[in-house]
Amino acid sequence: MTSNPLVDFLASYGPQASSNNLYDEFVVEAAKRTGCAALEIDQPLTAELIGLLQSATPKCVILTGTAGDGKTYTARKVAEALSGEARVWSNTQKIYTLPKPLPSGRSALFIKDLSEINEAEKNRIFPDIMAALTGETTDVFVICVNDGHLLKFFRDRGEAELHDRFAEMLRSDAREDPNGHFWLVNMSRQSHRHLVDQIVDGVADHDGWAGCEGCPALADKENPCPIRCNRDILLRNDPASMRARLKDMIRMAAADGRHLSIRQLILLTVNILLGDAKASSTLLTCRKAKMRSRNNVYDLTNPFANAFGVNLTERERRQYGAFTVLSEYQVGFETNNVFDHGLLWGDDSLPDCPWYGERIFAPIRNMYRGDPSRHSADFQRAIVDQRRRLFFSLDPQSPKVRINPRRSPWNLSVFKHGSDYIAMVEGLLGAGMPQQIARQLLRGLNRMMTGEMTITDDRLWITAPSGVYLGSEIPLLVQHAGHPRTGGISTMSFLVSGNHRVGPSDNGRPPVIRVATRGREDRAVDLALRPTLVECLLRIADGALPASFSSECQREVERFQLQVATEVRRAFELDGATPMPKEVRMLDGNLQEHAIAIMAEGDAW
């Protein structure tokens, strides 16, 4: 069996202590040492920044975001393109000056990481940075820095105006300086869903795989190399593939505020490919792969388990955001009668896998059938892995799922309505909000806000949260929202946030329900439709009780109620009127408003 240097090179990107070349400054050195080409991630932002700096009026650029989001990598690619050099700075170089002027005649300086520069050097270069950011000089800076250090840098030097401007731009996801002197790009405001294909292809379709030619394991059909098996699974790119589910999970995680950096996505991909669950091992080498195939222990190299870091200890898993985030989906631990019955007794309609399906599951299942008490623990672990395999191997939009929603792979996770969430986001970014999902969300919200199991789903009834007004012991109708009606003052709409960008720059933020009163969009109230809240609302619409969920979702809805109630009362006050409280009643499942009999029309409230 030959040893492919690409395997060792990719392992350096994986979850192990020696993974230094996950940091951009080590990538070039590692590639040179192994003779393998470094992974290339084509950020659309790179071309955009090159165009900006080559224009007649270039601007300063500040690249911010969390560690691993490609700030230094992007800056290096821009510098290479502008200089025409293959390598523009060394690992020890903190500031790089472009050797030739930009087309506009201006000088360009690149700060690889502002936080790595000592205080004396920061103080020395600070006046030059200030002059460039305020348009007092023609120099152009490209600065890489995380957002916290960026704000501290200017706060410590008493520049309150710029500090506050940066803080507001970061809050609102604005990119262009109002005064036109710089761009502020938060690279963490992306779901990175559109980069998954690039990352997976960069790993699984790397030119270095040609080094496997001549290896006997490549021709072994009975006991193939597990690395090559996992590679084939990663290369699939259809709705019923591992890649498709990963993209959905990454998008949903970003919308729920759990951003995964590019560095973590590379680490995740490498672990899926090379993960090895044998004790004292973490990642496969060519030698280990030969041993696993020879001993027919493919359960140790299962990519569907590797996606959740099963090859690592619990302590090791907690060190990596990729496994922490994906573990929150609880894939494999959710029982489902349709799938469990099919796995236990056989169902030809369920997909199999020649390496990680019946081949590794059938022996454990047979032992469990023979002696359940003795083999229960092994069987439970095995069926978790099989549920995970089905989660990554089924198309949630297939005809079988449309006929029987219980066959959706999302039923094998805590997000039973995961496919509805994806459909909602894609609809709002394309043809429009799917009406069936909209109606379910409205029904769930109405049930949460009124405490009634109503079937009303054509408009939103905003009521004052319990306890908001002293002496109020019944729900008080604030106003209808949604379909305009005679005398109505509020309207409701589903939309993506104003700074949401479609395509490669998708910031991953969740859609919102927006309620505007008297057409005042500047004072509109938004309810962010995070995946967790959407799951809560859709389950309540299906008949679950709100108490079944965490109080976090209830607090979000109550805060939304209070904010809308405040805006509606304010609108009445501007008109010189006083709104009358009205009781909300349910008749035949539908919500209706009724005047409170004890109060006469026109009495003050």
Side-chain angles (χ1 to χ4, degrees), residues 422-434 494-496 502 511-512 529:
I422 298 300
M424 175 183 69
V425 174
E426 291 182 348
L428 286 171
L429 292 176
M433 178 72 175
F494 292 90
L495 70 159
V496 292
V502 183
V512 298
L529 293 174

Side-chain angles (χ1 to χ4, degrees), residues 375-583:
H375 298 287
S376 176
D378 290 337
F379 177 76
Q380 287 179 7
R381 284 191 295 268
I383 201 169
V384 165
D385 286 344
Q386 292 305 306
R387 291 172 185 152
R388 287 169 169 165
R389 177 180 66 81
L390 293 177
F391 176 78
F392 286 117
S393 306
L394 290 166
D395 178 4
Q397 301 299 331
S398 69
K400 291 180 180 178
V401 173
R402 293 195 188 99
I403 295 173
N404 183 5
R406 294 186 179 183
R407 296 182 68 92
S408 170
W410 287 100
N411 287 312
L412 295 168
S413 77
V414 293
F415 288 97
K416 310 293 185 186
H417 293 278
S419 58
D420 290 328
Y421 189 86
I422 298 300
M424 175 183 69
V425 174
E426 291 182 348
L428 286 171
L429 292 176
M433 178 72 175
Q435 286 305 302
Q436 180 60 30
I437 298 175
R439 285 182 172 275
Q440 288 177 297
L441 287 172
L442 292 179
R443 183 164 65 246
L445 267 174
N446 284 330
R447 289 182 175 186
M448 285 191 75
M449 290 190 290
T450 65
E452 303 279 1
M453 293 298 286
T454 177
I455 61 173
T456 299
D457 61 5
D458 64 338
R459 65 187 63 194
L460 191 60
W461 287 65
I462 306 289
T463 62
S466 175
V468 170
Y469 302 109
L470 293 177
S472 173
E473 297 179 354
I474 58 174
L476 300 177
L477 174 69
V478 174
Q479 189 52 268
H480 291 285
H483 299 294
R485 68 186 184 96
T486 304
I489 65 171
S490 300
T491 57
M492 185 217 72
S493 56
F494 292 90
L495 70 159
V496 292
S497 58
N499 291 313
H500 198 301
R501 294 181 292 275
V502 183
S505 297
D506 175 11
N507 63 22
R509 287 188 171 185
V512 298
I513 289 179
R514 175 166 295 172
V515 174
T517 302
R518 295 281 191 211
R520 289 290 302 274
E521 290 292 335
D522 59 321
R523 298 189 62 88
V525 179
D526 291 348
L527 175 64
L529 293 174
R530 300 183 302 106
T532 301
L533 180 59
V534 169
E535 184 70 23
C536 171
L537 295 175
L538 293 182
R539 289 199 189 191
I540 290 173
D542 288 341
L545 298 177
S548 304
F549 297 86
S550 70
S551 59
E552 179 184 2
C553 294
Q554 184 67 44
R555 286 197 301 270
E556 286 184 65
V557 173
E558 287 180 349
R559 185 163 53 247
F560 176 65
Q561 288 176 274
L562 180 57
Q563 290 173 332
V564 175
T566 301
E567 286 303 317
V568 171
R569 286 186 60 83
R570 181 176 179 275
F572 272 102
E573 290 169 359
L574 290 175
D575 290 344
T578 302
M580 285 293 298
K582 297 178 182 179
E583 182 182 6

Side-chain angles (χ1 to χ4, degrees), residues 183-412:
W183 280 10
L184 176 62
V185 182
N186 189 345
M187 300 186 71
S188 294
R189 294 286 174 84
Q190 303 178 63
S191 72
H192 290 325
R193 177 182 182 273
H194 294 277
L195 293 180
V196 171
D197 285 326
Q198 276 197 57
I199 292 170
V200 173
D201 287 337
V203 171
D205 207 20
H206 194 284
D207 291 341
W209 290 109
C212 292
E213 295 298 329
C215 177
L218 201 60
D220 192 335
K221 303 302 181 184
E222 293 298 321
N223 291 73
C225 170
I227 297 176
R228 301 288 298 202
C229 296
N230 295 353
R231 175 176 177 259
D232 289 344
I233 290 171
L234 281 172
L235 284 172
R236 281 193 59 185
N237 191 10
D238 57 72
S241 66
M242 190 175 201
R243 188 186 303 209
R245 274 315 71 66
L246 284 173
K247 288 194 284 190
D248 291 343
M249 296 170 82
I250 290 163
R251 169 187 270 175
M252 291 174 64
D256 241 342
R258 301 189 304 278
H259 170 78
L260 284 179
S261 68
I262 294 174
R263 185 182 301 171
Q264 288 295 322
L265 295 180
I266 295 175
L267 181 145
L268 172 65
T269 304
V270 168
N271 198 67
I272 291 172
L273 177 74
L274 300 179
D276 182 21
K278 185 174 176 59
S280 74
S281 179
T282 300
L283 298 176
L284 290 169
T285 62
C286 289
R287 182 182 62 83
K288 291 179 183 177
K290 179 181 180 181
M291 294 171 60
R292 305 294 178 266
S293 60
R294 182 179 60 201
N295 296 330
N296 194 32
V297 284
Y298 290 89
D299 55 307
L300 298 177
T301 65
N302 190 337
F304 308 109
N306 291 342
F308 301 96
V310 173
N311 57 311
L312 306 173
T313 65
E314 180 61 33
R315 180 180 179 183
E316 290 170 334
R317 278 195 294 273
R318 288 198 299 267
Q319 297 177 13
Y320 304 105
F323 305 123
T324 301
V325 168
L326 294 193
S327 68
E328 294 176 5
Y329 287 82
Q330 289 292 294
V331 176
F333 297 107
E334 293 289 315
T335 60
N336 178 281
N337 289 339
V338 172
F339 295 125
D340 286 358
H341 186 275
L343 289 170
L344 188 58
W345 302 109
D347 183 346
D348 293 338
S349 67
L350 295 179
D352 193 18
C353 175
W355 315 295
Y356 302 109
E358 283 291 294
R359 179 171 184 154
I360 63 174
F361 184 58
I364 298 175
R365 180 182 58 206
N366 292 338
M367 289 189 294
Y368 172 75
R369 286 176 177 174
D371 190 347
S373 60
R374 181 180 178 185
H375 298 287
S376 176
D378 290 337
F379 177 76
Q380 287 179 7
R381 284 191 295 268
I383 201 169
V384 165
D385 286 344
Q386 292 305 306
R387 291 172 185 152
R388 287 169 169 165
R389 177 180 66 81
L390 293 177
F391 176 78
F392 286 117
S393 306
L394 290 166
D395 178 4
Q397 301 299 331
S398 69
K400 291 180 180 178
V401 173
R402 293 195 188 99
I403 295 173
N404 183 5
R406 294 186 179 183
R407 296 182 68 92
S408 170
W410 287 100
N411 287 312
L412 295 168

